[in-house]
Amino acid sequence: MRSVADDLTTRARIRDAAIVLFGRDGFSRATIRSVAAQAGVSPGLVIHHFGSKAALREACDQHVLRQTAGQGKEKTDPDATRLLIQDYLDHPDHYASEITYIRRTLSDESEAGDAFFDAVVSQTEDILRSGIQAGTIREVDDLRAVAVVIASNSLSLLMLGRHASRALGAPVTGPHGIGPEMLRKLTLPALDIYTHGLYADTRFLDAAREVLQTRKPEGSMPREPRDSRPGVA
C-alpha cells in the first residue's frame, strides 16, 4: 500500500501488513501472529491497536476504500487522470497490494465482502455526481443503476485481470494480472467507449426502453378470473 511518510506509524504498519496478508492468504487463513510478524511487532501490539482481527479487517477496508475514492475523484478531472495513469505506469508495484486485497475481498462471500462492494458503488455514485457538477460527465436518468454498472465493470477487470492479460497478449504481472502493458492496451479503448459510446444510434436503446416501459414487472400481471360455476375449479 502507498502510505505517506507521516502515516508510517505503528498502527499504519500493522494495517499495511494486514492488507498484504489478507489479500495474499485470505482473511480466514491469515492470523494475528502472521500479521504481527509481517509488521515487525508483537501480536499483543496488534490487539492493542485494533482489538480483534475483525476490527483490523474493517480498518483495512476503510483504508483501501479511501484510496480508491481518491483515485476515483481524480478520474473526474482530465489533468488528475493523466497524472494517475502516469503514476501507475511508473510505479505499478505501489498498487499491487491494493489490487490483490480488493480481489480477495470481493471473492469472499461474506457480509464484509458485500459491504465492501456496496461501499464501492456508493463511492461511484459520489464520483458520478461530482463529475456531473463539474460538467465532465453528462446527466443520467438513474444514477444508482449507472453506478452499479460502472463499479461492476471496473471491479470485474480486477477479478479477471489475468485472463484479460492473456487475451490481449500482455505480460501477466503478478497474481492479479494487471500490469503496465495491460493498462496501455485497455485505457484508450475504455475511455473511447465511455466518451463516444458503442452503438451508432439509439435503436438498441429505443428497443430496450420500449419493452421495459410497456412490460409490467413479474408478479404484477392480472390474474385470470376464476369460473364461479359449481364444480369448475
Side-chain angles (χ1 to χ4, degrees), residues 32-110:
I32 291 293
R33 187 174 297 279
S34 64
V35 170
Q38 179 81 8
V41 299
S42 68
L45 198 56
V46 176
I47 297 299
H48 169 75
H49 280 287
F50 294 95
S52 67
K53 192 167 79 163
L56 175 57
R57 177 179 185 163
E58 184 176 352
C60 293
D61 284 354
Q62 293 305 314
H63 182 70
V64 172
L65 286 168
R66 282 195 300 271
Q67 294 285 87
T68 58
Q71 294 161 19
K73 283 186 168 59
E74 289 174 348
K75 292 176 184 177
T76 65
D77 177 79
D79 291 330
T81 296
R82 181 185 299 110
L83 294 176
L84 183 63
I85 294 171
Q86 189 62 58
D87 187 60
Y88 185 85
L89 291 174
D90 292 342
H91 308 286
D93 53 310
H94 290 181
Y95 297 80
S97 295
E98 178 182 315
I99 292 173
T100 303
Y101 183 86
I102 293 172
R103 288 181 69 250
R104 177 73 71 170
T105 300
L106 292 174
S107 64
D108 184 5
E109 296 183 3
S110 66

Side-chain angles (χ1 to χ4, degrees), residues 62-200:
Q62 293 305 314
H63 182 70
V64 172
L65 286 168
R66 282 195 300 271
Q67 294 285 87
T68 58
Q71 294 161 19
K73 283 186 168 59
E74 289 174 348
K75 292 176 184 177
T76 65
D77 177 79
D79 291 330
T81 296
R82 181 185 299 110
L83 294 176
L84 183 63
I85 294 171
Q86 189 62 58
D87 187 60
Y88 185 85
L89 291 174
D90 292 342
H91 308 286
D93 53 310
H94 290 181
Y95 297 80
S97 295
E98 178 182 315
I99 292 173
T100 303
Y101 183 86
I102 293 172
R103 288 181 69 250
R104 177 73 71 170
T105 300
L106 292 174
S107 64
D108 184 5
E109 296 183 3
S110 66
E111 291 184 4
D114 293 347
F116 191 90
F117 179 82
D118 293 345
V120 172
V121 170
S122 295
Q123 281 186 357
T124 305
E125 278 190 277
D126 292 339
I127 292 165
L128 290 172
R129 195 173 290 109
S130 296
I132 291 169
Q133 292 173 352
T136 57
I137 296 175
R138 67 175 177 83
E139 293 275 358
V140 295
D141 293 333
D142 189 335
L143 190 67
R144 178 72 174 182
V146 171
V148 170
V149 170
I150 292 176
S152 298
N153 285 343
S154 299
L155 293 173
S156 67
L157 184 59
L158 297 186
M159 302 299 291
L160 299 173
R162 186 175 65 85
H163 295 296
S165 291
R166 290 190 304 100
L168 290 169
V172 177
T173 306
H176 47 76
I178 302 176
E181 187 58 30
M182 194 173 85
L183 182 69
R184 291 181 183 277
K185 288 180 177 291
L186 287 182
T187 297
L188 293 182
L191 289 175
D192 183 69
I193 290 175
Y194 279 126
T195 302
H196 300 116
L198 183 64
Y199 295 122

